[in-house]
């Protein structure tokens, strides 16, 4: 808390992670409440490599309305999603203030929020998930709310469906629920990150530009026009059970096969949408072929690809198999930003058939691991005078 001209400024800051789904969320049964047509499951990635950093601040000295600055650019908080989240958080704070009149009336003060990503925004790297999770957690900390992360995931879901999973670490499910009001559509931990810490992820950043068709617009069109989507809704519950089992039993082959099948099925429904939605490009297809060639050369499934609503590839593998993965990809990616040479690599797969496409199409790589949920920090993006701190 700081003072400006005799008026208090309250601040709280947090960082929140990206999560990459292995069972995809695509389709809403209730667009207003952001209730999904199927459950989903994701891996929370390390914040050392992919994170959103957000400071939430309020003060009676701030003018209305609430404001948000993302990566130095003003953003609207008047969208239905944002207003729903802020209203829910203010209502919870108001309940505390009514129960204890000695508390400062933070719920009545305008909010000033500053946020930054250390990765491209809206490029298929789950920026909205990390962003809304950081926003919800920072305001919850600002308001000193007692709700658990699972309870807060009910609010985060209203902002961005996948954001509910970024409020927890490790391997996280978002249960679709069955209640009409969405009260049971929330996130839960399938396994803590320490359960299977050997899991690694290699992100191939193919295109850092904002995607042409947003996830929100895309999934609504898929639900409305795709015949394949009806089949997807039928088979995903079985895939959820199989994926949870693979994670519990640390069965990488089961995890890998399920992850790739899910990615393929998700993008097939996108192509079956009218008009077709194509999130993948030629570099994405080359990345899929590279993974297949690595697995073939190894004689077993040791790597798995997945793609969210964008062309960037996420390749899961276990730490013990880094040698084979690195030996295969280093010949193409060694000069890319983010590549790390470490350990003995040995002989890798022959990727000559995709070398040119990947060399030209991959801009950078991110080598990361399973991570934890949001972290409260003292590094504020709003100074004691209430001004944004520009990095």
């Amino acid at each position: 808390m700081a003072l400006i001209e005799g008026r208090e400024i309250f601040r709280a800051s947090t960082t929140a992670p990206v999560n990459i789904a292995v069972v995809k969320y695509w389709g809403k049964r209730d667009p207003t409440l952001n209730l999904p047509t199927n459950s989903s499951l994701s891996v929370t990635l390390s914040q050392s490599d992919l994170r959103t950093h957000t400071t939430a601040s309020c003060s009676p000295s701030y003018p209305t309305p609430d404001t948000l600055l993302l990566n130095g650019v003003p953003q609207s908080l008047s969208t239905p999603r944002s207003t729903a989240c802020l209203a829910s958080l203010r209502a919870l704070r108001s309940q505390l203030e009514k129960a204890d009149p000695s508390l400062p009336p933070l719920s009545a003060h305008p909010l000033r929020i500053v946020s930054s990503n250390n990765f491209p925004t809206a490029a298929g790297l789950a920026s909205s998930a990390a962003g809304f999770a950081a926003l919800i957690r920072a305001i919850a900390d600002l308001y000193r709310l007692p709700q658990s992360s699972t309870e807060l995931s009910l609010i985060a879901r209203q902002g961005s469906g996948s954001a509910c999973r970024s409020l927890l670490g490790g391997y996280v499910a978002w249960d679709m629920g069955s209640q009409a009001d969405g009260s049971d559509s929330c996130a839960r931990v399938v396994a803590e990150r320490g359960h299977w810490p050997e899991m690694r992820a290699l992100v191939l950043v193919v295109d850092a530009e904002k995607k042409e068709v947003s996830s929100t617009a895309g999934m609504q069109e898929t639900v409305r026009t795709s015949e394949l989507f009806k089949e997807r809704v039928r088979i995903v519950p079985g895939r959820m059970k199989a994926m949870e089992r693979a994670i519990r039993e640390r069965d990488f082959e089961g995890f890998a096969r399920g992850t790739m099948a899910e990615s393929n099925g998700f993008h097939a429904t996108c192509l079956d949408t009218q008009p077709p939605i194509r999130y993948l490009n030629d570099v994405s297809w080359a990345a899929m072929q590279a993974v297949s060639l690595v697995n073939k050369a190894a004689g077993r499934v040791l790597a798995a690809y997945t793609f969210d609503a964008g062309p960037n590839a996420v390749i899961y593998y276990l730490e013990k198999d880094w040698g084979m993965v690195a030996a295969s990809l280093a010949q193409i990616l060694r000069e890319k930003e983010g590549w790390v040479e470490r350990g003995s690599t040995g002989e890798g797969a022959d990727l000559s058939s995709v070398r040119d496409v990947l060399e030209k199409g991959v801009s950078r790589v991110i080598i990361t691991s399973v991570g934890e949920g949001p972290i409260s920090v003292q590094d504020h993006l709003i100074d004691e005078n209430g001004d944004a701190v520009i990095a």
Side-chain angles (χ1 to χ4, degrees), residues 24-26 213-215 218-219 221-223 225-226 228-229 232 263-280 307-310:
K24 307 294 186 183
Y25 152 54
W26 196 254
V213 181
S214 72
S215 298
M219 70 175 67
E221 286 304 299
T222 297
V223 172
T225 66
S226 171
L228 281 181
F229 177 75
R232 173 172 169 73
S263 182
N264 295 343
F266 157 54
H267 286 282
T269 63
C270 291
L271 287 173
D272 190 53
T273 301
Q274 299 299 324
I277 302 170
R278 185 173 183 254
Y279 288 119
L280 306 182
F307 298 82
D308 278 349

Side-chain angles (χ1 to χ4, degrees), residues 70-104:
L70 172 61
N71 293 332
V73 179
Q75 305 288 324
S76 174
L77 283 174
S78 61
T79 63
R81 290 182 176 196
S82 298
T83 54
C85 291
L86 298 183
S88 295
L89 292 165
R90 280 194 163 105
L92 292 174
R93 173 64 190 189
S94 180
Q95 291 174 11
L96 295 180
E97 294 164 358
K98 289 178 181 178
D100 184 355
S102 69
L103 292 175

Side-chain angles (χ1 to χ4, degrees), residues 8 19 36 70 119 123 152 155 174 190 222 270-271 276 285 344 383:
E8 296 171 328
N19 73 78
L70 172 61
F119 58 92
L152 291 175
I155 299 175
W174 171 17
V190 173
T222 297
C270 291
L271 287 173
W285 285 97
S344 174
D383 66 21

Side-chain angles (χ1 to χ4, degrees), residues 196-215:
W196 203 2
E198 299 84 7
M199 185 70 74
R200 299 290 182 267
L202 172 63
V203 183
L204 307 185
V205 181
V206 173
D207 187 349
E209 298 302 316
K210 187 174 182 178
K211 55 197 174 190
E212 293 182 5
V213 181
S214 72
S215 298

